[in-house]
Amino acid sequence: MSTQLEQLFDKLWPINRSLTGDGNRASLKLLSETVDIEIKEVASGTQCYDWTVPAEWNIKEAWIKNGKGEKIVDFSINNLHILGYSIPYKGKVSYQELISHLYTLPQQPTLIPYRTSYYEKRWGFCLTQIAFDQLDPNDIYEVFIDSSLNENGSMTIGEAYIKGDSDEEILFSTYICHPSLAVNELSGPLVSSLIYQKIKQRPKNKYSYRFLFIPETIGSIYSLTQYGNFWKEKLVAGFVVTCVGHNAPFTYKKSRRGDSFVDRAAELVLMQDWEETQILDFFPGGSDERQYCSPGFNLPVGSLMRTMYGQYPEYHTSGDNKSLICFKTMEKTVEVYLEILQLIEANKKYVNKFPNGEPQLGKRGLYPTVSTPKKKNSQINAMMWLLNYSDGTNDLLSIIKKSNLHSSSILEALEVLTNAGILE
Amino acid sequence: MSTQLEQLFDKLWPINRSLTGDGNRASLKLLSETVDIEIKEVASGTQCYDWTVPAEWNIKEAWIKNGKGEKIVDFSINNLHILGYSIPYKGKVSYQELISHLYTLPQQPTLIPYRTSYYEKRWGFCLTQIAFDQLDPNDIYEVFIDSSLNENGSMTIGEAYIKGDSDEEILFSTYICHPSLAVNELSGPLVSSLIYQKIKQRPKNKYSYRFLFIPETIGSIYSLTQYGNFWKEKLVAGFVVTCVGHNAPFTYKKSRRGDSFVDRAAELVLMQDWEETQILDFFPGGSDERQYCSPGFNLPVGSLMRTMYGQYPEYHTSGDNKSLICFKTMEKTVEVYLEILQLIEANKKYVNKFPNGEPQLGKRGLYPTVSTPKKKNSQINAMMWLLNYSDGTNDLLSIIKKSNLHSSSILEALEVLTNAGILE
Amino acid sequence: MSTQLEQLFDKLWPINRSLTGDGNRASLKLLSETVDIEIKEVASGTQCYDWTVPAEWNIKEAWIKNGKGEKIVDFSINNLHILGYSIPYKGKVSYQELISHLYTLPQQPTLIPYRTSYYEKRWGFCLTQIAFDQLDPNDIYEVFIDSSLNENGSMTIGEAYIKGDSDEEILFSTYICHPSLAVNELSGPLVSSLIYQKIKQRPKNKYSYRFLFIPETIGSIYSLTQYGNFWKEKLVAGFVVTCVGHNAPFTYKKSRRGDSFVDRAAELVLMQDWEETQILDFFPGGSDERQYCSPGFNLPVGSLMRTMYGQYPEYHTSGDNKSLICFKTMEKTVEVYLEILQLIEANKKYVNKFPNGEPQLGKRGLYPTVSTPKKKNSQINAMMWLLNYSDGTNDLLSIIKKSNLHSSSILEALEVLTNAGILE
């Protein structure tokens, strides 16, 4: 499996992605090999609430040559060298003019920054501070950018859908607009594709599952125009899948609601099994969760990450590359996503049909017939919690939390009691 | 008083008690010397929600002899030697067969475990691991159990009732089914009997008091069939009295509601005067509180203990004997029960008849006429708290808690202000 | 400004103040030089709920002479020497009789206590323990008190009012009944007068502002008879201004409601900028807040102090004099009051007119057009918090608290977004 993930990573890595363009199409096509993705085109100019789908951007070649004709910055070497959405340009410029178009990281002189200018027309290059410092102020530079901005183009997005017993759905949203960045973002589509496969394999799903592979911000805002009102009624839980590349403790960022199923299930699973887990209250920064959780929708969408955006020094630089990624950890992350889903799917307000005193478990073979020694085993304990609190007002997640027992014990006891006709 | 308690203990100790049987009758008769107990018989076979009152069990003699005819285990030496509810048996058995009927505590080799088999017919003996290890695998053993299970018998329970001004009632429930165990259980009936005497002596009681001396589980479930619906309307507070034998800090286990009068009063009294007190949220294990607090009734019943069941190593073994008991501490425990009752009885939402600004206490002789030095005395402080918060929405318990004053100061101030016609 | 405050202090200091009398008139007249005070007379005997305005007390001269005719205690030297509201007296008394009229502080032998007997007729003197100890038990003492208690007099109070756009009002209440005490009380009227000036200077006020300069307790209870019912509808926030003299950390005592605008705004301002701040829950002691927060009114009135009454050793003694006072700190305190007012005035439930996804700030020039480096600047962050939570249910104070940002950032962002027509 990690081999599969790594191979997919290696294929996706060199492709130049952005809000729009052929790189996105190629990436979605590659992902289609494992996920049954429907690829959609949204025309440039499409209005999405307060936003407009931008012109489609493509780029073939871009470089800067010094006076000696040597290429000193070259997009063909690293996608990050070009300012995203740079307009076409060809010409000779002085040092002074050139540097007004250059972006560096003075504090991290060996790294190329990742920068874009989606919504204002300009051109620019990103380079290391070291390379910048070698520029000769007296030289004249030749700049060439063979890009295009097509107002009649489109934004390309991918969707996959697994139909469940109910049309209530669970959303996985991940983004595909960052070129050659590993943790943020390739880890997101990779983990999402693996979750897709696991769910697809299950014989039966209670809820339907929707996977979105979209550019950040404009992609999720567009999706809200399509599904936002439906989701207000039908979205059980959602995740923005991003920053799941590090071999590092989990960070879970809650939805704006703070107590939706996804928040409570994620907190339970992480707190019971994972030390050093960080549980963060919602804050209106970060990624697409701030669109899904905008006040007009306020959807139950959280984000389960390893090391979060902005919390590692290589974030949004050329340092965010394969060397940061642990493919084995991604698989473990997928397991945790599935554990959380299991709780969300099982969550309900069960009712104990024998609410007056406790039901006699012994006569049903569910309780030892010789009185037990001091410590009850945890399954009897789990049954007692379920029986006492299943009064139609407490849902499963709240009983697990109250009991301080492992969710797996409660799920087992739930099955036993449901099969015995005691809980319903 | 401790002499009285100790004498009663010594008389009750040797009697073999169980869910049913003559030992229970004899025990209740002994308790009747100090408590005005009505003894009731509940016929075997009586249906109690999901449970059925079992056949009446009595036992006269039970032993195991080795090949040499020596009694190696003998019920007449310790009641715990017989598995509770053992069926009659007489016969010779091999070592292999015998040991399938024996119960020991390998980790506590000098102690006899306490075990029962109420709801499945079998016979067995409990013995120390040391005695077990001395059995000869090649010997043939003679087993004799002169017991009877009478389907036409009954379960014997005891009730006492002190009528108060109101038919709203306060419940004390304690159990009488453990043979020759001291902390758990003889401390419970002993402390209950002393509480009974103290309340009976009072000239006047606001609430009525009911005391139940019953076998665990089936006894409380039976009582719920009798009083459960009445209690839903009329039970102000209740206690399961158990594990009050140790000279050790208090443990209070809250009712399932968590904020009923009994929970709030017990917490206040314990926190203000007793260091190292443990206040536990309800959990659906333990004793009869889990029946009283079952979801169909959810009664305000907590449990005030010293060292709790399961929290001391001798629990449910022959080590739980008189050596663990402190009779002086039991008397102190009764005082604390009475302090809690005092708060419960006084608890009400009082109304300050002078709600606009503060009433002028000085002109009523309730405030020093020369301005006081820096620290107000605590009674004036207590009056201020009562006056300010007695707006008909805060009850006495909440005002005590908010004030952080000792409940006795507030109770004194309450009397002063009520007598002055300021509070009502 | 501190010069102005200090000059005013020096003028007010020697005047003898009490619940009533010419000293209070003189003090209010002095305050009128900076505050537009309306001076009102409330006739002695006026009923105020459970209280009655007392007779007017004035005093010209009061002393004790020893047998040699030496004045050993003299009111003309320190106002505190006379027990407040002492009745007139002239006569010779034995040592034994004399000392039943003397008040000292044995634990602080160099300080004169501050004592009154407003509501019971008696005479007395306050002196240092050192002076007391020098009295000769065999001497005969001459006592002279030239005071008067006029049943046809009045209680003098001062009010100032600044009309705002709305008749909803904000109250500042400070007291003027303590003679020659610096922190408690002259700091209160001084700070109040400075707040008055600052608000008066503002071109426009959303709310109206009322300032009360009154004797403690009877003054506020009287004011409640006048404005209490109006305030129940219209009081947005109020402060009892007292104990603002020390150069020491702030103490904020919450209103009884605990979550009124004034409580939340004061807590935010203090916690973000001031270490060692103490935030206290309401308690029904202290000063006039316990009248304003009496259950009949329960007004949103808190108290922003530096070192609180009772928390410094010189409290209510002759040690509470100018040496404790820092006039510079008073000015800083006024600034903090104004910051709190700013939040209270701005507080509202704003509505984001672009609730579906986030509005595109870039096209309005409110967001950088080149993607920003790792840390967003705090103004963008503040805009995000306002946009996401301005859904009509969260008010400004709650958004500031949730965001953990400095209130000034949020206020700036609020202005930007309001001007851009995004928030309303």
Side-chain angles (χ1 to χ4, degrees):
Chain A
M1 189 62 77
S2 14
T3 313
Q4 180 202 315
L5 285 176
E6 187 170 357
Q7 284 170 355
L8 191 53
F9 178 92
D10 290 340
K11 287 184 203 159
L12 287 164
W13 175 259
I15 301 173
N16 186 51
R17 281 174 294 277
S18 184
L19 294 192
T20 59
D22 290 330
N24 292 22
R25 282 182 198 100
S27 299
L28 290 170
K29 193 136 185 248
L30 272 168
L31 285 161
S32 299
E33 292 170 15
T34 50
V35 181
D36 205 11
I37 290 180
E38 180 186 2
I39 297 177
K40 297 184 178 177
E41 300 289 343
V42 181
S44 298
T46 301
Q47 194 65 26
C48 308
Y49 300 120
D50 196 43
W51 296 67
T52 309
V53 173
E56 180 176 333
W57 182 63
N58 281 290
I59 181 161
K60 291 186 188 143
E61 195 179 343
W63 43 256
I64 306 171
K65 285 184 184 167
N66 64 14
K68 298 178 197 157
E70 299 163 342
K71 282 191 186 165
I72 54 170
V73 179
D74 186 352
F75 166 68
S76 76
I77 290 173
N78 190 321
N79 289 323
L80 297 181
H81 275 313
I82 193 75
L83 177 75
Y85 261 67
S86 277
I87 57 176
Y89 187 79
K90 185 171 161 49
K92 299 215 170 184
V93 296
S94 70
Y95 173 83
Q96 280 310 322
E97 189 182 344
L98 178 67
I99 65 173
S100 73
H101 293 273
L102 300 186
Y103 301 89
T104 67
L105 293 166
Q107 308 297 322
Q108 296 170 293
T110 64
L111 301 178
I112 308 166
Y114 164 55
R115 296 289 168 79
T116 62
S117 181
Y118 295 140
Y119 297 101
E120 177 141 322
K121 291 191 176 172
R122 57 161 72 81
W123 62 265
F125 287 88
C126 301
L127 66 165
T128 68
Q129 184 66 32
I130 287 172
F132 181 96
D133 292 341
Q134 287 166 2
L135 296 178
D136 177 354
N138 300 313
D139 208 348
I140 294 293
Y141 295 89
E142 189 183 348
V143 171
F144 180 65
I145 301 175
D146 181 8
S147 67
S148 61
L149 280 161
N150 181 359
E151 301 288 346
N152 297 316
S154 61
M155 169 175 80
T156 312
I157 65 172
E159 285 192 34
Y161 186 72
I162 299 170
K163 200 167 163 34
D165 293 344
S166 159
D167 69 341
E168 290 189 292
E169 76 183 43
I170 293 179
L171 170 68
F172 289 85
S173 177
T174 194
Y175 45 96
I176 54 154
C177 54
H178 290 43
S180 305
L181 292 164
V183 166
N184 177 40
E185 76 179 12
L186 272 182
S187 70
L190 291 180
V191 163
S192 299
S193 72
L194 190 48
I195 294 170
Y196 175 90
Q197 290 174 58
K198 297 285 186 187
I199 292 172
K200 186 75 183 173
Q201 282 161 16
R202 302 199 300 199
K204 192 175 146 67
N205 285 299
K206 177 176 173 187
Y207 296 120
S208 297
Y209 283 85
R210 189 180 304 275
F211 291 76
L212 298 181
F213 298 85
I214 52 182
E216 212 177 359
T217 305
I218 183 69
S220 54
I221 292 175
Y222 167 74
S223 298
L224 284 168
T225 66
Q226 302 301 298
Y227 302 115
N229 288 320
F230 171 75
W231 283 335
K232 279 203 220 178
E233 299 296 314
K234 299 288 193 177
L235 192 69
V236 174
F239 298 89
V240 170
V241 186
T242 180
C243 293
V244 279
H246 284 94
N247 180 11
F250 282 107
T251 297
Y252 177 73
K253 177 182 172 182
K254 289 185 181 180
S255 78
R256 184 178 183 267
R257 298 181 184 182
D259 63 350
S260 61
F261 286 6
V262 61
D263 301 319
R264 294 160 62 212
E267 187 162 3
L268 279 172
V269 167
L270 294 177
M271 297 309 279
Q272 74 193 2
D273 289 328
W274 298 87
E275 289 181 10
E276 296 183 76
T277 287
Q278 257 197 93
I279 308 281
L280 301 178
D281 282 338
F282 179 75
F283 53 88
S287 181
D288 289 322
E289 64 274 14
R290 75 177 197 251
Q291 313 308 333
Y292 296 123
C293 299
S294 58
F297 296 106
N298 197 21
L299 300 172
V301 176
S303 191
L304 175 62
M305 298 166 275
R306 296 279 184 168
T307 304
M308 187 169 70
Y309 36 76
Q311 299 297 305
Y312 57 101
E314 302 89 353
Y315 173 67
H316 272 198
T317 74
S318 56
D320 184 355
N321 56 41
K322 194 175 171 182
S323 69
L324 299 190
I325 294 279
C326 176
F327 293 100
K328 272 272 164 231
T329 298
M330 283 192 195
E331 289 175 45
K332 188 71 215 158
T333 300
V334 169
E335 282 173 34
V336 171
Y337 267 100
L338 293 171
E339 281 175 50
I340 294 169
L341 291 179
Q342 190 186 19
L343 285 188
I344 292 171
E345 299 217 339
N347 193 40
K348 229 196 298 195
K349 292 175 180 167
Y350 295 91
V351 175
N352 171 358
K353 290 161 71 179
F354 299 86
N356 299 321
E358 68 196 25
Q360 195 181 355
L361 298 176
K363 71 184 184 191
R364 295 176 177 84
L366 303 178
Y367 201 89
T369 53
V370 172
S371 59
T372 51
K374 284 150 206 176
K375 308 218 174 219
K376 290 228 181 76
N377 69 50
S378 73
Q379 188 173 337
I380 289 179
N381 211 351
M383 287 194 289
M384 290 297 172
W385 281 97
L386 279 168
L387 290 171
N388 193 286
Y389 284 98
S390 291
D391 58 3
T393 73
N394 302 296
D395 66 10
L396 187 73
L397 288 169
S398 71
I399 296 174
I400 296 173
K401 185 161 186 182
K402 253 192 250 279
S403 76
N404 255 323
L405 297 174
H406 197 279
S407 56
S408 59
S409 301
I410 297 277
L411 288 173
E412 275 169 43
L414 175 65
E415 201 181 339
V416 167
L417 291 172
T418 311
N419 290 342
I422 296 174
L423 278 195
E424 70 173 11
Chain B
M1 190 63 76
S2 14
T3 313
Q4 182 203 314
L5 286 175
E6 189 170 355
Q7 284 170 356
L8 192 52
F9 179 93
D10 290 341
K11 286 185 205 159
L12 287 165
W13 177 257
I15 301 174
N16 186 51
R17 283 173 291 279
S18 184
L19 294 192
T20 60
D22 290 329
N24 291 23
R25 283 183 197 99
S27 300
L28 289 171
K29 193 136 185 248
L30 272 168
L31 286 162
S32 298
E33 292 170 17
T34 50
V35 180
D36 206 11
I37 289 181
E38 181 186 0
I39 296 177
K40 297 184 177 177
E41 300 289 343
V42 182
S44 297
T46 301
Q47 193 67 24
C48 308
Y49 300 120
D50 196 41
W51 298 67
T52 309
V53 174
E56 181 178 331
W57 182 63
N58 281 291
I59 181 161
K60 291 185 188 145
E61 193 179 344
W63 44 256
I64 306 170
K65 284 184 184 166
N66 64 14
K68 297 177 197 159
E70 299 162 341
K71 281 191 186 163
I72 52 172
V73 179
D74 186 351
F75 166 67
S76 74
I77 290 172
N78 191 319
N79 288 323
L80 298 182
H81 274 314
I82 192 73
L83 176 76
Y85 261 67
S86 277
I87 56 176
Y89 187 80
K90 185 172 160 50
K92 298 213 171 186
V93 296
S94 68
Y95 173 83
Q96 281 308 322
E97 189 181 344
L98 178 67
I99 64 172
S100 73
H101 293 274
L102 300 186
Y103 301 88
T104 67
L105 293 167
Q107 308 297 322
Q108 296 170 294
T110 64
L111 300 178
I112 308 166
Y114 164 55
R115 297 289 167 80
T116 62
S117 181
Y118 296 139
Y119 297 102
E120 177 143 322
K121 291 192 176 173
R122 59 160 71 84
W123 61 265
F125 287 88
C126 301
L127 66 163
T128 68
Q129 183 66 32
I130 287 171
F132 181 95
D133 290 343
Q134 288 165 1
L135 296 178
D136 177 356
N138 300 313
D139 209 346
I140 293 293
Y141 295 89
E142 187 183 349
V143 172
F144 180 65
I145 302 175
D146 181 8
S147 67
S148 61
L149 280 162
N150 182 359
E151 302 287 347
N152 297 316
S154 62
M155 168 174 80
T156 312
I157 64 171
E159 284 193 35
Y161 186 72
I162 299 170
K163 199 167 162 35
D165 295 343
S166 158
D167 69 340
E168 289 189 292
E169 77 183 42
I170 293 179
L171 170 68
F172 289 86
S173 178
T174 194
Y175 45 95
I176 52 154
C177 53
H178 290 44
S180 304
L181 292 165
V183 165
N184 177 40
E185 76 180 16
L186 272 182
S187 70
L190 292 180
V191 162
S192 298
S193 71
L194 191 47
I195 295 170
Y196 176 89
Q197 291 173 57
K198 297 285 186 188
I199 292 171
K200 186 76 183 171
Q201 283 161 16
R202 302 198 301 198
K204 192 174 146 68
N205 285 299
K206 178 176 173 188
Y207 296 120
S208 299
Y209 284 85
R210 190 180 303 274
F211 290 76
L212 298 181
F213 298 85
I214 51 182
E216 213 177 358
T217 306
I218 182 69
S220 54
I221 292 174
Y222 168 74
S223 299
L224 284 168
T225 66
Q226 301 301 298
Y227 303 115
N229 289 320
F230 172 75
W231 283 335
K232 279 202 220 180
E233 298 298 314
K234 299 289 192 176
L235 192 69
V236 174
F239 298 90
V240 170
V241 187
T242 181
C243 293
V244 279
H246 284 95
N247 181 10
F250 281 107
T251 297
Y252 177 73
K253 177 182 171 182
K254 290 186 181 179
S255 78
R256 184 177 184 269
R257 296 182 186 181
D259 64 348
S260 62
F261 285 7
V262 61
D263 301 319
R264 293 160 61 212
E267 187 162 3
L268 280 172
V269 167
L270 295 177
M271 296 309 279
Q272 74 193 1
D273 290 328
W274 298 87
E275 289 181 10
E276 295 183 77
T277 287
Q278 257 197 93
I279 308 282
L280 301 179
D281 282 339
F282 179 76
F283 53 88
S287 181
D288 289 321
E289 65 274 13
R290 75 179 197 251
Q291 312 308 334
Y292 297 122
C293 299
S294 58
F297 296 105
N298 197 19
L299 299 172
V301 176
S303 192
L304 176 62
M305 299 166 276
R306 295 280 184 168
T307 304
M308 187 168 69
Y309 36 75
Q311 298 298 303
Y312 57 102
E314 303 88 354
Y315 172 68
H316 272 198
T317 75
S318 56
D320 185 354
N321 55 42
K322 193 174 169 181
S323 69
L324 299 191
I325 293 280
C326 176
F327 293 99
K328 272 271 162 230
T329 299
M330 282 190 195
E331 290 175 46
K332 189 69 216 159
T333 300
V334 169
E335 282 173 34
V336 171
Y337 267 100
L338 293 171
E339 281 174 51
I340 294 169
L341 290 179
Q342 191 186 20
L343 285 187
I344 292 171
E345 299 217 339
N347 193 40
K348 228 194 299 194
K349 291 175 180 168
Y350 295 90
V351 175
N352 172 359
K353 290 162 70 180
F354 299 86
N356 299 321
E358 67 196 25
Q360 195 181 354
L361 298 176
K363 71 184 184 190
R364 294 176 177 84
L366 304 179
Y367 201 90
T369 53
V370 173
S371 60
T372 52
K374 284 149 207 177
K375 306 216 176 220
K376 289 227 182 78
N377 71 48
S378 72
Q379 188 174 337
I380 289 178
N381 211 351
M383 288 195 288
M384 291 297 173
W385 280 97
L386 279 168
L387 291 171
N388 192 285
Y389 284 98
S390 291
D391 58 3
T393 72
N394 302 296
D395 66 10
L396 187 73
L397 289 169
S398 72
I399 296 174
I400 296 173
K401 185 162 187 181
K402 253 192 250 278
S403 76
N404 255 323
L405 297 174
H406 197 278
S407 56
S408 59
S409 302
I410 296 275
L411 288 173
E412 276 169 42
L414 176 65
E415 200 181 339
V416 168
L417 291 172
T418 311
N419 291 342
I422 296 174
L423 276 196
E424 69 172 14
Chain C
M1 190 62 76
S2 16
T3 313
Q4 181 203 313
L5 285 175
E6 186 169 358
Q7 284 170 355
L8 191 53
F9 179 93
D10 290 340
K11 287 185 204 159
L12 287 165
W13 175 258
I15 300 173
N16 186 51
R17 282 172 294 277
S18 185
L19 293 192
T20 59
D22 289 331
N24 291 23
R25 282 182 198 100
S27 299
L28 290 171
K29 194 137 184 246
L30 271 168
L31 285 163
S32 299
E33 291 171 17
T34 50
V35 181
D36 205 10
I37 289 180
E38 181 186 0
I39 297 177
K40 297 184 177 178
E41 300 289 344
V42 182
S44 297
T46 302
Q47 194 66 24
C48 308
Y49 300 120
D50 195 43
W51 297 67
T52 310
V53 174
E56 180 177 333
W57 182 63
N58 280 292
I59 182 162
K60 291 186 188 141
E61 195 179 343
W63 44 256
I64 306 170
K65 283 185 186 167
N66 63 14
K68 296 179 198 158
E70 298 162 343
K71 281 190 186 164
I72 53 172
V73 180
D74 186 350
F75 166 68
S76 75
I77 290 172
N78 191 321
N79 288 323
L80 297 182
H81 274 314
I82 192 74
L83 177 75
Y85 262 66
S86 278
I87 57 176
Y89 187 79
K90 186 170 159 50
K92 298 216 169 182
V93 295
S94 70
Y95 173 82
Q96 280 309 325
E97 189 181 344
L98 179 65
I99 64 172
S100 72
H101 293 273
L102 299 186
Y103 301 88
T104 67
L105 293 166
Q107 307 297 323
Q108 296 170 296
T110 64
L111 300 179
I112 308 166
Y114 164 55
R115 297 288 168 79
T116 62
S117 180
Y118 296 138
Y119 297 102
E120 177 142 323
K121 290 193 175 169
R122 58 160 70 85
W123 63 264
F125 286 89
C126 301
L127 66 164
T128 68
Q129 184 66 32
I130 287 171
F132 181 94
D133 291 341
Q134 288 164 1
L135 297 178
D136 177 354
N138 300 314
D139 210 347
I140 293 292
Y141 295 89
E142 188 184 348
V143 171
F144 180 65
I145 302 176
D146 182 8
S147 68
S148 61
L149 280 162
N150 182 359
E151 302 287 348
N152 296 316
S154 61
M155 168 175 80
T156 312
I157 64 171
E159 284 192 35
Y161 185 73
I162 300 171
K163 200 167 162 36
D165 294 344
S166 159
D167 69 341
E168 290 188 292
E169 77 183 42
I170 293 178
L171 170 69
F172 289 86
S173 177
T174 193
Y175 45 95
I176 53 155
C177 55
H178 290 43
S180 304
L181 292 165
V183 165
N184 176 40
E185 79 180 13
L186 272 182
S187 70
L190 292 180
V191 163
S192 298
S193 72
L194 191 47
I195 295 169
Y196 175 90
Q197 290 174 58
K198 297 285 186 189
I199 292 171
K200 187 74 182 172
Q201 283 161 16
R202 302 197 303 197
K204 192 175 147 65
N205 284 299
K206 178 176 172 188
Y207 295 120
S208 298
Y209 283 85
R210 190 178 304 272
F211 291 76
L212 298 181
F213 299 84
I214 52 182
E216 213 178 357
T217 307
I218 182 69
S220 54
I221 293 174
Y222 167 75
S223 299
L224 284 169
T225 66
Q226 301 301 298
Y227 302 115
N229 289 320
F230 171 76
W231 283 335
K232 279 203 221 178
E233 299 296 315
K234 298 289 192 176
L235 192 69
V236 174
F239 298 90
V240 170
V241 187
T242 181
C243 293
V244 279
H246 284 94
N247 180 9
F250 282 107
T251 298
Y252 177 73
K253 177 182 171 182
K254 289 186 182 181
S255 78
R256 183 177 183 271
R257 297 181 186 183
D259 63 349
S260 61
F261 285 7
V262 61
D263 302 319
R264 293 159 62 211
E267 187 162 3
L268 280 173
V269 167
L270 295 177
M271 296 309 279
Q272 74 192 4
D273 289 328
W274 297 87
E275 289 181 10
E276 296 183 76
T277 287
Q278 256 198 93
I279 308 281
L280 301 178
D281 282 339
F282 179 76
F283 53 89
S287 182
D288 288 321
E289 64 275 14
R290 74 177 197 251
Q291 312 308 334
Y292 297 123
C293 298
S294 58
F297 296 105
N298 197 19
L299 299 172
V301 176
S303 192
L304 176 61
M305 299 166 276
R306 294 281 184 167
T307 304
M308 187 169 71
Y309 36 76
Q311 298 297 305
Y312 58 100
E314 303 88 352
Y315 173 67
H316 273 198
T317 75
S318 56
D320 185 355
N321 56 41
K322 193 175 171 182
S323 69
L324 299 190
I325 293 279
C326 176
F327 293 100
K328 273 272 162 231
T329 299
M330 283 192 195
E331 289 174 47
K332 189 68 215 159
T333 300
V334 169
E335 282 172 35
V336 171
Y337 267 100
L338 294 171
E339 281 174 50
I340 295 169
L341 290 179
Q342 191 186 19
L343 285 189
I344 293 172
E345 299 217 339
N347 193 40
K348 229 195 297 195
K349 291 176 180 169
Y350 295 89
V351 175
N352 172 359
K353 290 161 71 179
F354 299 85
N356 299 321
E358 68 195 26
Q360 195 181 354
L361 298 175
K363 70 185 184 191
R364 294 176 176 85
L366 305 178
Y367 202 88
T369 53
V370 172
S371 59
T372 51
K374 284 150 206 179
K375 307 218 174 218
K376 290 228 182 77
N377 70 50
S378 72
Q379 189 173 336
I380 290 180
N381 212 350
M383 288 195 287
M384 290 296 172
W385 280 97
L386 280 168
L387 291 171
N388 193 286
Y389 284 98
S390 291
D391 57 4
T393 72
N394 302 296
D395 67 10
L396 188 72
L397 288 169
S398 71
I399 296 174
I400 296 172
K401 185 161 188 182
K402 252 191 249 279
S403 76
N404 256 322
L405 296 174
H406 197 279
S407 56
S408 59
S409 301
I410 296 276
L411 288 172
E412 274 169 43
L414 175 65
E415 200 181 341
V416 168
L417 291 172
T418 311
N419 291 343
I422 296 174
L423 277 195
E424 70 173 12

